[in-house]
Amino acid sequence: MRTSPWLVLTYTVIIVLGLFIALPNVLPQSTLQRIPAWLPHEQVSLGLDLRGGSHLVLEVDEADLTKERLQSLLQDARRVLREKGIQPKAVVRSQNQIVVTLADAAQSDAAVTDLKTLANPISTGLSAGQADLDVTANGATITVGFSPAGISANVDNAVQQSLEVIRQRVDQVGVSEPTIQRIGGNRVLVQLPGAQDPSRLRELLGSTAKMSFHMLAPNNQPGPGVTMLKDDEGNSYPVLDRVEISGDRLSDARVSFDPNTHEPVVSFRFDSAGATRFADITRQNVGNPFAIVLDDKVLSAPVIREPITGGSGQISGNFSADSATTLAAMLRAGALPAKLTVIEERTVGADLGADAIKMGVYSGIVGFILVAAFIFVLYGTWGILANIALLIHTILTFSALTLVGATLTLPGIAGVVLGIGLAVDANVLINERIREETRKGKSAFAAIDTGFNRAYSTIIDGNMTALIAAAILFYFGSGPVRGFAVTMALGLIISMFTSVAFVRVAMIEITRRRKFKVLNIRPLIPFSPYDKHIQFMKARFFGVTVSALLSIASVVLFLHPGLNYGVDFRGGIQMSVKTQGEADLAKFREGLDSLGLGEITLQSFGDKNSILVRAQRQEGGEEAQTAAVTKLKAEVARIDPTATVEGTDVIGPKVSGELASAGILSVVIASFAMLIYIWVRFEWPFAVGAIVTLVLDVTKAIGFFAITGLDFNLTAIAAILTLVGYSVNDKVVVYDRMRENMRLYKSMPLREIIDKSINETLARSLYTNATAFLALVPMAIWGGSAVSSFAIPMVFGILVAGASSIFIAAPILLFLGDWRRRHAKASATDAGVDIIPPEQGRPRKSAG
């Protein structure tokens, strides 16, 4: 058995290139600046929690918001009076009110009643249920305006809408995983990872992006209902106030290039209703100019040459590529309900802090060393090859992240951990298969060939289920869920190269050069879980009962007392602290964590003497929040007597309702997609068993969070997602051996086949769970509060997933198999056929 030298050369080139691309990630900037320009310099982009970035506080312009709402109210007042047959002398806006002057004062009461129908009830706060408008009459004059409670409600709604519009805009231009939170009543905090262009961010976030299409006044004459607006070059246009089409009718906006001038333009497309309206307007106004207006500025004012019936058009101007991209992003995301003013702009440090990141890195390195040592003990000198493959896998993963421009955050690191875990699993599967073939008496090359071929199908099935889940999570999820999906998918794809292709070529070359006749993969410490005959199915009722009771208890704990939602979900208190000397984040973190106030995060803020302290919202009303602030201030003074608290704010949750819904939806859809794949590759009892067991595993993990009181935050979501991928992969490996044995032992009862399959994969299950356990235990013990929400529940989840593959998934398969056999037997008896007991009880007609 020889390997093509071209294949060896190809693999060598891939590994060397991967090493060069990943190398800048471990080099300091001073070294990077000295290396030749033709070598790679790009590093993996780190998220806000690992790197820090730009910090902006934006405030809703209350005057601008009231002006916009009054303009809309003015049109509605005219419409209502017209529909009711009431003819006013005038309906005008005067400062912050609408003034209606009636021709007949006798119609005053009816007009007031009709105008009050424009009011909306306030839905939240102390004023809930009250109307947001005040309508008063004085003879023939009626004034309509927003009540103080109505103005407050408008601002509240505007802030809520702005959060999602900002999130969409930021996502559109590719800034990964920002922090976007509400501060107080009328402000929004935006933190973006890395060094962003402040001017571009101001343009992106501060522009309302209210786009509308207007006709110009006839003969370019100003007058009533006409406003003079300017373009970027200072040209003035008499624009009719009437909006022909509003920007909310746009369905898409993209950057393209003019084929004649090669300058950037923004191409837009209307929805069906907008396209119809646009066609009517252009058909009726051929030869007349019309204006495309954005935030009271004319973008362009072309003349309509012919009817435009395709529902699309272009905006041209003095655009750069960046400004065109920004405009297209704003139009796709939609307009802000009110103008946002940037009132603060600073630089912040990482969410986790350098001390926490350092502890996480150190504990991760310790975990990697423990895994490598364990593999070496398991497989002796052949374990060195497996560890080299694991190291190459890690290097290629970071080179791939660098190439695709992915942003690495804590949830993304969780995806990398899962990818490494599944790569270890693939190595264990291959080595155990080769050992198995060697015990059957096969020669070295035959054992390698058969072992790899049989392990390959198992690895493919396990990785495909995880890749399907990753694709669904990326498509339907957002923010941290997407980051997790990208890193997990890259890790899975790379493991197919390092664990299968590279290791196979290396093993063949070593065996050929050393002229091995038999391939003995011996452990350093004798341990043999092989050839066991444990009757696992005898304990099936006990296992299913215990699992069901634990899951029911987990659901009860989820409902009451519930999860300890962290700052990411609940919002809480934000405090800015300034010290005379450099702030010691580690000392502050240790002291503040001891207060028992739940999740507390710290960031350096602006300079080394300033920090932001965030504490989760406390149970109870405002009194509880005030008590927490008092505790925080006292502890800050105790830790550093020179420190002063410069301000405190109430902040909203980082995880919005839409983000949480998208995350849950993506996990549910991913589960169904995995079910379909397992159904197609195996059969429906296997799919049902895998998904039911997955649900039981996840509910227990949720129960673990509830009973331990660990903070449930974005890191905890990463842990749940990692557990989903790990659990399904574990089930697929066991199922694959069952399917293989069903084909080999057609007359063996299903119960015996299941027991035999579990015994044959027991070594692999033990070894894989042990390696994952060793990788995570250092993080759980020494990783600190920053990663404890990931590592601790994952250690628990690994134990649960390993046990459920044997005591839950297998009994469900046995139950469904027995049910199918009985059902097939009954159907065959009714049809007059004989039953031959194949592995899954399929009926076969007798020859007679």
Side-chain angles (χ1 to χ4, degrees):
M1 178 182 280
R2 293 186 63 88
T3 304
S4 167
W6 289 107
L7 190 63
V8 174
L9 178 63
T10 302
Y11 289 175
T12 303
V13 169
I14 291 172
I15 293 169
V16 171
L17 283 177
L19 180 62
F20 273 105
I21 294 170
L23 188 61
N25 291 290
V26 296
L27 296 178
Q29 284 295 329
S30 57
T31 305
L32 279 177
Q33 292 171 1
R34 293 198 302 268
I35 64 176
W38 55 270
L39 287 173
H41 286 69
E42 293 296 320
Q43 295 179 315
V44 174
S45 300
L46 298 180
L48 190 67
D49 52 359
L50 300 176
R51 180 184 179 187
S54 299
H55 169 104
L56 293 90
V57 176
L58 303 105
E59 187 175 68
V60 171
D61 189 328
E62 190 174 304
D64 181 71
L65 175 65
T66 302
K67 175 186 172 183
E68 288 289 332
R69 296 294 165 89
L70 284 172
Q71 189 64 33
S72 176
L73 187 62
L74 178 70
Q75 302 298 330
D76 290 340
R78 288 172 175 167
R79 174 182 54 78
V80 166
L81 294 175
R82 185 171 61 251
E83 290 174 352
K84 299 298 182 179
I86 299 174
Q87 296 296 325
K89 281 186 178 178
V91 181
V92 296
R93 180 166 66 86
S94 176
Q95 296 183 341
N96 290 332
Q97 292 180 325
I98 303 297
V99 179
V100 179
T101 305
L102 300 176
D104 183 0
Q107 293 182 309
S108 179
D109 290 342
V112 168
T113 302
D114 294 332
L115 290 171
K116 282 184 175 180
T117 62
L118 298 176
N120 295 308
I122 297 170
S123 58
T124 58
L126 299 175
S127 304
Q130 298 180 19
D132 64 346
L133 293 181
D134 285 334
V135 183
T136 58
N138 183 11
T141 302
I142 301 171
T143 58
V144 183
F146 289 103
S147 64
I151 292 174
S152 178
N154 285 341
V155 171
D156 182 71
N157 292 333
V159 173
Q160 293 292 350
Q161 294 173 34
S162 298
L163 288 172
E164 294 308 324
V165 173
I166 289 171
R167 196 181 308 281
Q168 291 178 42
R169 287 187 184 182
V170 170
D171 286 344
Q172 294 281 358
V173 295
V175 180
S176 299
E177 303 191 31
T179 291
I180 300 171
Q181 292 176 287
R182 181 173 185 167
I183 301 181
N186 63 345
R187 293 181 180 179
V188 177
L189 164 68
V190 182
Q191 292 184 342
L192 303 174
Q196 306 293 332
D197 180 3
S199 61
R200 189 181 180 199
L201 291 178
R202 284 175 175 273
E203 180 185 359
L204 178 68
L205 303 180
S207 299
T208 312
K210 287 186 180 296
M211 185 174 178
S212 52
F213 297 79
H214 305 252
M215 299 306 300
L216 298 186
N219 301 318
N220 291 331
Q221 293 298 318
V226 176
T227 301
M228 299 300 294
L229 299 179
K230 294 185 177 182
D231 61 14
D232 279 334
E233 297 178 355
N235 300 316
S236 296
Y237 299 87
V239 178
L240 294 177
D241 291 341
R242 178 182 173 183
V243 176
E244 300 293 345
I245 310 178
S246 63
D248 56 11
R249 287 296 178 191
L250 292 175
S251 62
D252 194 18
R254 301 285 169 184
V255 176
S256 57
F257 291 88
D258 188 296
N260 298 319
T261 64
H262 304 292
E263 293 180 346
V265 295
V266 177
S267 301
F268 60 85
R269 179 173 293 279
F270 290 107
D271 60 17
S272 57
T276 302
R277 175 68 181 149
F278 195 52
D280 291 341
I281 293 168
T282 54
R283 190 177 296 112
Q284 296 164 10
N285 291 279
V286 172
N288 296 325
F290 78 108
I292 303 172
V293 178
L294 180 74
D295 292 345
D296 296 329
K297 183 178 72 176
V298 175
L299 292 178
S300 61
V303 174
I304 301 171
R305 302 295 183 190
E306 58 185 11
I308 304 173
T309 57
S312 61
Q314 281 186 347
I315 304 169
S316 57
N318 295 321
F319 292 129
S320 65
D322 280 348
S323 63
T325 302
T326 300
L327 174 59
M330 290 191 296
L331 295 181
R332 287 197 300 273
L336 287 166
K339 183 180 179 182
L340 293 178
T341 304
V342 179
I343 63 170
E344 186 178 301
E345 181 181 328
R346 299 197 196 183
T347 300
V348 292
D351 280 350
L352 302 182
D355 57 315
I357 294 171
K358 188 181 295 182
M359 286 303 298
V361 170
Y362 286 166
S363 59
I365 292 172
V366 171
F368 191 95
I369 292 171
L370 288 176
V371 169
F374 184 71
I375 292 175
F376 179 63
V377 169
L378 280 182
Y379 302 120
T381 52
W382 289 106
I384 297 174
L385 177 60
N387 285 329
I388 291 172
L390 194 59
L391 181 61
I392 292 173
H393 175 275
T394 306
I395 292 170
L396 292 183
T397 298
F398 277 91
S399 65
L401 290 171
T402 305
L403 286 174
V404 301
T407 298
L408 189 64
T409 61
L410 203 57
I413 290 175
V416 174
V417 169
L418 178 60
I420 292 174
L422 296 182
V424 171
D425 184 48
N427 276 307
V428 170
L429 274 169
I430 290 166
N431 281 295
E432 290 304 314
R433 275 293 194 175
I434 293 173
R435 272 180 172 175
E436 195 174 327
E437 298 304 321
T438 300
R439 288 197 301 273
K440 292 177 182 178
K442 290 189 177 180
S443 64
F445 287 120
I448 291 173
D449 190 50
T450 307
F452 269 94
N453 289 340
R454 292 190 172 176
Y456 187 72
S457 64
T458 307
I459 294 168
I460 284 289
D461 284 331
N463 286 3
M464 278 303 298
T465 52
L467 279 172
I468 289 170
I472 299 294
L473 291 173
F474 181 83
Y475 186 79
F476 290 97
S478 56
V481 176
R482 278 192 162 190
F484 172 85
V486 168
T487 54
M488 181 177 74
L490 289 174
L492 288 168
I493 294 168
I494 291 167
S495 73
M496 293 300 297
F497 168 72
T498 57
S499 301
V500 180
F502 167 75
V503 171
R504 180 169 187 159
V505 168
M507 288 189 86
I508 290 172
E509 282 300 300
I510 293 171
T511 302
R512 186 178 64 81
R513 290 179 182 274
R514 300 296 295 273
K515 300 180 180 179
F516 290 135
K517 300 298 182 184
V518 178
L519 198 64
N520 289 314
I521 303 178
R522 293 191 179 94
L524 294 185
I525 301 173
F527 174 69
S528 179
Y530 311 104
D531 301 323
K532 302 294 183 184
H533 302 288
I534 304 171
Q535 295 180 335
F536 289 101
M537 290 304 96
K538 280 189 174 181
R540 64 188 184 280
F541 294 114
F542 175 79
V544 171
T545 302
V546 170
S547 178
L549 289 175
L550 288 175
S551 290
I552 291 169
S554 296
V555 173
V556 172
L557 288 169
F558 172 72
L559 297 174
H560 183 77
L563 300 175
N564 180 24
Y565 291 105
V567 180
D568 294 340
F569 282 91
R570 295 174 58 187
I573 302 159
Q574 178 172 281
M575 180 182 292
S576 55
V577 177
K578 194 167 187 68
T579 59
Q580 287 187 7
E582 183 176 341
D584 187 341
L585 286 180
K587 189 175 179 181
F588 273 98
R589 183 175 286 108
E590 182 182 355
L592 296 176
D593 280 343
S594 67
L595 295 178
L597 297 177
E599 181 188 6
I600 292 180
T601 63
L602 282 79
Q603 281 179 296
S604 61
F605 177 59
D607 55 48
K608 293 181 179 180
N609 295 27
S610 302
I611 56 175
L612 277 181
V613 179
R614 289 193 182 94
Q616 70 182 52
R617 185 172 181 80
Q618 306 299 303
E619 295 292 342
E622 292 306 312
E623 298 82 3
Q625 316 313 315
T626 303
V629 170
T630 303
K631 277 188 177 182
L632 288 168
K633 287 181 177 178
E635 184 63 21
V636 165
R638 187 196 67 78
I639 296 169
D640 187 346
T642 69
T644 56
V645 176
E646 296 193 324
T648 58
D649 289 296
V650 176
I651 58 173
K654 185 189 293 186
V655 180
S656 67
E658 287 193 17
L659 275 179
S661 300
I664 294 170
L665 177 66
S666 59
V667 171
V668 171
I669 295 176
S671 298
F672 276 105
M674 289 187 291
L675 183 147
I676 293 169
Y677 178 81
I678 296 171
W679 193 326
V680 171
R681 285 288 290 152
F682 296 84
E683 282 194 348
W684 69 264
F686 290 91
V688 172
I691 297 304
V692 169
T693 313
L694 176 63
V695 171
L696 293 173
D697 289 349
V698 171
T699 53
K700 291 184 189 69
I702 297 293
F704 182 80
F705 274 104
I707 200 169
T708 58
L710 283 169
D711 296 320
F712 195 83
N713 48 26
L714 290 177
T715 311
I717 290 179
I720 296 296
L721 293 172
T722 307
L723 180 60
V724 168
Y726 184 87
S727 177
V728 173
N729 182 76
D730 201 61
K731 309 300 177 284
V732 167
V733 170
V734 178
Y735 278 171
D736 193 77
R737 182 57 67 96
M738 292 178 186
R739 177 179 61 179
E740 181 181 327
N741 284 335
M742 285 175 178
R743 293 168 178 166
L744 292 174
Y745 308 103
K746 295 185 180 296
S747 60
M748 184 182 291
L750 182 59
R751 177 172 169 173
E752 292 181 21
I753 287 177
I754 290 175
D755 276 337
K756 180 178 178 61
S757 301
I758 294 174
N759 279 285
E760 288 176 348
T761 56
L762 183 60
R764 171 263 161 200
S765 297
L766 291 174
Y767 297 158
T768 300
N769 288 337
T771 53
F773 185 83
L774 289 171
L776 291 166
V777 161
M779 295 175 69
I781 297 174
W782 299 297
S785 58
V787 295
S788 61
S789 294
F790 173 77
I792 294 175
M794 271 304 299
V795 169
F796 169 79
I798 286 166
L799 299 177
V800 168
S804 66
S805 298
I806 296 172
F807 296 107
I808 312 300
I812 290 173
L813 182 62
L814 177 60
F815 168 77
L816 293 173
D818 287 343
W819 175 84
R820 289 181 68 186
R821 187 176 64 253
R822 290 193 298 271
H823 180 72
K825 184 176 181 179
S827 300
T829 300
D830 293 340
V833 298
D834 298 329
I835 299 296
I836 293 177
E839 75 281 8
Q840 293 162 346
R842 293 197 185 100
R844 191 171 71 183
K845 291 188 178 181
S846 61

